[in-house]
C-alpha cells in the first residue's frame, strides 16, 4: 500500500577470504619476553558461502517511517584464525602461532527495529525543528570450527559480530543549519580469533561512542560541515 511495504528475500552469496589470510608469507615478531610470535597465511582457503532468508515490514508516515525485520543466514567455509601457544614447565608462553583455517560453518539469526522521524513538524516553533532516529539490532550467532588436529569447538558469535547494535540520533534543523548527535552502541564482539580453549578467544568489550555533526547548506549542490568523532573519549578494548 502507499504506506505499508512488505518484503521477503532469499540470497546466495560467495566471497573470498580476506587477502591477508591467503596471500603467501608469514610474519615473525617477538613478545615482551623475547619469545617468537608467528602470524601465518593459508593459500588453500576455500571461498566463503552463505544462504540468507529475510522478512521485513516498513510503515511510512509524515517525515519518517517505522520498520521491523527478521533474518537468518547459514554459512559454510567460514575462515577463522587459530591461535596455539606453547608453554614451558613454569606455565610461561614461549611460542605463539596464528594461522587462518577455512573449516568453519555457522548460523546467524536475529531481528532489527528502526524508527525515524526526521522532523516533528507538528510541534510549535522552535520545537518543530527536532528530529529523532533510533535503531536496535539483536544478533545471535554460532560458529563451529574444526582445528588442524581435528578437534572441534563452537563459539556463540561470528567474526566481528556483536551481540547487539543500537543507535540513537537526535537532530535539530533550523533553516539551512542542522545539528546531529549520533550515539552509537555495540555489545560484546567476538573478533574471530579462536584459542584452543575458550580462555584464548579474543573479544571486544561493549562500546558506546558519541559523535557530533554540524551542517550548513550553501545551496542545492554544496554543504559545509564539521564533525567531532568520539566526543566522549571512549576506548576500544580487546
Amino acid at each position: 500500500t502507499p504506506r505499508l511495504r512488505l518484503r521477503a528475500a532469499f540470497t546466495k552469496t560467495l566471497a573470498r577470504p580476506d587477502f591477508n589470510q591467503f596471500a603467501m608469507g608469514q610474519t615473525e615478531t617477538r613478545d615482551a619476553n623475547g619469545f617468537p610470535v608467528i602470524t601465518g597465511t593459508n593459500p588453500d582457503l576455500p571461498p566463503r558461502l552463505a544462504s540468507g532468508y529475510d522478512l521485513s515490514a516498513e510503515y511510512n508516515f509524515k517525515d519518517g517511517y517505522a520498520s521491523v525485520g527478521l533474518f537468518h543466514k547459514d554459512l559454510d567455509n567460514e575462515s577463522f584464525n587459530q591461535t596455539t601457544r606453547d608453554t614451558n614447565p613454569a606455565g610461561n608462553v614461549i611460542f605463539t602461532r596464528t594461522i587462518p583455517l577455512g573449516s568453519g560453518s555457522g548460523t546467524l539469526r536475529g531481528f532489527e527495529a528502526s524508527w525515524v522521524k526526521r522532523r516533528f513538524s507538528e510541534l510549535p516553533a522552535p520545537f518543530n525543528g527536532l528530529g529523532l532516529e533510533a535503531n536496535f539490532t539483536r544478533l545471535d550467532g554460532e560458529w563451529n570450527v574444526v582445528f588442524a588436529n581435528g578437534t572441534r569447538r563452537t563459539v556463540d558469535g561470528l567474526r566481528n559480530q556483536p551481540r547487539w547494535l543500537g543507535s540513537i540520533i537526535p537532530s535539530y534543523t533550523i533553516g539551512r543549519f542542522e545539528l546531529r548527535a549520533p550515539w552509537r552502541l555495540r555489545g560484546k564482539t567476538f573478533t574471530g580469533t579462536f584459542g584452543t580453549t575458550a580462555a584464548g578467544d579474543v573479544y571486544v568489550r561493549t562500546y558506546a561512542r558519541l559523535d557530533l555533526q554540524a551542517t550548513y547548506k550553501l545551496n542545492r549542490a554544496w554543504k559545509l560541515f564539521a564533525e567531532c568523532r568520539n566526543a566522549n573519549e571512549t576506548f576500544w578494548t580487546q
Side-chain angles (χ1 to χ4, degrees), residues 1 3 9 15 18 23-24 38 42 55 191 205 227:
T1 68
R3 289 185 177 272
D18 295 341
M24 293 294 287
I38 305 294
N42 184 354
L55 288 173
T191 62
R205 288 181 179 172
E227 292 186 345

Side-chain angles (χ1 to χ4, degrees), residues 177-178 212-218 222-229:
F177 187 69
E178 182 183 30
L212 301 172
Q213 301 169 351
T215 304
Y216 183 78
K217 189 173 184 179
L218 296 174
W222 292 90
K223 290 181 180 180
L224 288 175
F225 68 91
E227 292 186 345
C228 171
R229 297 191 177 184

Side-chain angles (χ1 to χ4, degrees), residues 15-23 42 45 48 79 100 159-160:
R16 74 177 188 182
D18 295 341
F19 180 76
N20 60 4
Q21 291 182 315
F22 65 82
N42 184 354
L45 289 175
R48 302 157 61 200
S79 55
R159 179 172 54 154
N160 297 326

